[in-house]
Amino acid sequence: MTTPQPGQHMAAEIAAQPSIFASLYSSRAAIAEVAAVIRERAPRFVLFAARGSSDHAAIYAKYLTEILLELPAGLVSASTTTLYGAEPDLRDVLLVTVSQSGGSPDLLEVTASYRRRGALTVAVTNTPSSPLNAAAELSVDVSAGVEHAVAATKTYSATLLALYLLIDAVRGGNGEAAASLGDLAQVTLDASAPTVDEAVRRYRFVDRVLTTGRGYSYATALEASLKLAETSYLAARAYSGADLLHGPVAAVDGETAVLAITSLGKGGDSLRDALDVVHQRGADVVAVGSASEKVGATLSISIPETAEEVAPVLEILPVQRLAYGLALARGGDPDSPRGLNKVTRTL
């Protein structure tokens, strides 16, 4: 029997993402059918329920909802239902529950409870046969295939794309901004490899990392922080670029590694001042994104330019490679982080 190599599953699943994006885009008609029901029901408020990496995907979808649909959106505090038994009036509310496995008991309880109280419920999962899909009125399959590595890679990015296609279809779009993401993902992985390797060498011995982004890219900063923490056991914290200067910057010095997510658009433009400050304070800044070469950074990992609202689908790819490379360089196995399981059962 061949002995599994550390990180072999994570490496394969990172590499599979371009074909997954292309396939998911090709099957967008099924997502559009769900969007048509949502549009007909005309919700006045959108809530997202999620945990872990899926929570970061939900934050991305919250930005999409507020900007593209111009509807108020928020994140569910599951414990208000599961622990405190709150029963708010949920008429005219859309609940989107995001879960790769569809197996978390608290998300299942929230979805069932919200549906009983009048919300239109949609499950976005990578497991069509999951209990969550059965509990929700509608469902979207992210179609990423079985994910063997504990740290989510292809399921996270495919969830981002599925959420974009859903929300874009609700506003009457045809997903045009996502049409080339499969090809661009391959370009991103290939072209960024040398600079990602350099970033691994720079960050191999750091103890703490600060990640930051604004707008749509804030979700990428959050996911980057989680990936670095769970695969390389780094003390990683994520901040919105808007919050970074409101206190956290005081902890930034020459011993701080900063991973900045900055793509072309309003979010990336607004991040420049904060990055200038941390760069001046001596922090080692690695910038990732289509605007990475336009900011003060020690190292720039560039990705192809896209519409700003779909940039997070590409931004996360070199970050995943960075987490993978750092885990191996620090003697770990990113396929099996200590103390973690694929499905976390929160009550």
Side-chain angles (χ1 to χ4, degrees):
M1 175 180 279
T2 303
T3 303
Q5 297 299 306
Q8 68 178 35
H9 293 310
M10 187 174 181
E13 288 159 3
I14 291 172
Q17 289 171 107
S19 62
I20 291 170
F21 297 167
S23 177
L24 184 55
Y25 180 78
S26 296
S27 62
R28 65 192 181 281
I31 298 176
E33 291 178 4
V34 175
V37 177
I38 295 171
R39 192 164 56 247
E40 182 180 354
R41 294 278 286 271
R44 295 297 306 144
F45 198 94
V46 183
L47 290 171
F48 294 92
R51 294 288 191 190
S53 287
S54 293
D55 198 38
H56 305 153
I59 288 172
Y60 166 67
K62 180 178 180 293
Y63 276 89
L64 289 173
T65 300
E66 293 179 341
I67 297 169
L68 303 186
L69 301 183
E70 297 185 330
L71 288 176
L75 301 177
V76 169
S77 298
S79 61
T80 62
T81 296
T82 61
L83 297 182
Y84 296 97
E87 296 189 359
D89 183 349
L90 296 169
R91 289 171 294 179
D92 298 325
V93 170
L94 168 65
L95 174 74
V96 181
T97 307
V98 187
S99 173
Q100 292 146 16
S101 69
S104 180
D106 58 344
L107 297 181
L108 179 61
E109 183 176 343
V110 165
T111 302
S113 174
Y114 274 46
R115 185 174 180 179
R116 288 195 304 270
R117 287 183 275 128
L120 172 61
T121 53
V122 179
V124 179
T125 79
N126 192 46
T127 312
S129 60
S130 72
L132 182 60
N133 287 59
E137 185 174 341
L138 303 168
S139 62
V140 171
D141 182 6
V142 306
S143 304
V146 177
E147 190 170 56
H148 297 284
V150 171
T153 53
K154 64 178 184 176
T155 53
Y156 174 75
S157 58
T159 299
L160 295 183
L161 180 53
L163 287 166
Y164 171 75
L165 292 172
L166 176 66
I167 293 168
D168 179 65
V170 171
R171 67 167 174 171
N174 61 4
E176 181 180 3
S180 60
L181 287 180
D183 291 337
L184 293 179
Q186 192 62 60
V187 171
T188 299
L189 288 172
D190 293 343
S192 67
T195 44
V196 169
D197 289 344
E198 175 60 24
V200 169
R201 289 191 287 271
R202 299 188 71 86
Y203 280 5
R204 180 177 180 180
F205 298 108
V206 302
D207 294 319
R208 57 193 174 98
V209 177
L210 182 154
T211 67
T212 187
R214 284 208 73 182
Y216 298 110
S217 296
Y218 177 48
T220 310
L222 289 165
E223 179 64 8
S225 176
L226 176 60
K227 282 291 160 285
L228 293 172
E230 68 183 352
T231 60
S232 301
Y233 317 134
L234 288 168
R237 290 289 303 272
Y239 294 98
S240 162
D243 293 328
L244 184 57
L245 301 182
H246 288 259
V249 73
V252 174
D253 56 25
E255 300 299 314
T256 307
V258 175
L259 183 65
I261 313 299
T262 174
S263 286
L264 293 167
K266 294 179 179 179
D269 289 345
S270 66
L271 190 62
R272 291 180 188 176
D273 289 346
L275 292 184
D276 286 343
V277 172
V278 298
H279 194 62
Q280 291 165 9
R281 292 180 65 87
D284 190 289
V285 179
V286 172
V288 176
S290 56
S292 61
E293 296 179 355
K294 299 179 180 294
V295 300
T298 309
L299 182 66
S300 297
I301 302 175
S302 185
I303 68 169
E305 181 179 356
T306 64
E308 185 179 4
E309 61 263 29
V310 297
V313 180
L314 298 183
E315 290 168 348
I316 195 60
L317 304 182
V319 172
Q320 294 169 346
R321 278 266 183 87
L322 175 61
Y324 163 81
L326 281 173
L328 294 179
R330 293 162 71 93
D333 181 358
D335 284 347
S336 302
R338 63 194 182 205
L340 296 181
N341 296 303
K342 195 61 183 168
V343 179
T344 301
R345 299 190 176 277
T346 308
L347 299 176

